[in-house]
Amino acid sequence: QDPVPDPGAAAAPECADPPVPPTDVTAFTQDDLPEPWSGADQVDATIRTTCGDVVVELAAAQAPQTVASFAFLAEEGWWEDSPCHRLTTSGIFVLQCGDPTGTGRGNPGYGYGIENAPADGTYPAGTLAMARTQDPQSNGGQFFVVWEDSQLPTQGGGYSIFGRVTEGLDVVRAIAAEGVEGGAADGA
């Protein structure tokens, strides 16, 4: 007997073949870090994936340094053909992108501090936030989309929220439904 489909489950994504990640990634320096955003309080952007577009509203008033860096890296084409390299499916629910090398260790060559991190560690579904190392000054190019409500650690200052998904969360959820390589809960 066929199982009854879960009406809340995301359909398998219809994805194009992913591009080959770049072999030559532009390196910037700390001097290239743009000045904090001083334009509109909110900025719309589109993250184009091989599985569909994810439209986001960037919270420039709450995270001006992060939004300025995000806009700079996008304009420079720094993420062109880069993979989303990490998915988590247990405990926290995020799709992590923004490292052109696909290794999870890539950064643009500059770093900056945490902005707009929730003191209680609550990251609702659709949140767009920066990934970082243990160093609170290590925000750079890696970011993540929260695809289900998540409680993230607050030690070290939390993670900068710089926007929210306004369209395309279904794309991220469909990717997440495909799972982590090898059946793990955290990985490629």
Side-chain angles (χ1 to χ4, degrees), residues 46-165:
T46 301
I47 301 167
R48 299 202 187 286
T49 80
T50 57
C51 298
D53 289 350
V54 179
V55 180
V56 295
E57 179 181 87
L58 305 179
Q62 292 81 22
Q65 185 63 76
T66 305
V67 170
S69 175
F70 192 82
F72 169 75
L73 293 174
E75 289 166 3
E76 292 292 322
W78 196 70
W79 292 302
E80 196 75 25
D81 294 338
S82 67
C84 289
H85 62 276
R86 179 182 181 214
L87 175 68
T88 60
T89 60
S90 180
I92 63 171
F93 306 95
V94 304
L95 178 64
Q96 188 168 327
C97 311
D99 172 10
T101 72
T103 65
R105 295 184 299 275
N107 68 63
Y110 61 72
Y112 57 91
I114 299 167
E115 299 178 298
N116 196 38
D120 66 357
T122 300
Y123 293 75
T127 297
L128 183 63
M130 291 303 294
R132 63 176 180 81
T133 67
Q134 297 296 324
D135 179 356
Q137 295 294 316
S138 64
N139 284 322
Q142 293 188 43
F143 59 92
F144 58 88
V145 178
V146 179
W147 56 273
E148 289 296 337
D149 294 350
S150 295
Q151 195 71 32
L152 275 68
T154 58
Q155 297 85 345
Y159 300 86
S160 300
I161 293 176
F162 70 103
R164 67 182 184 87
V165 174

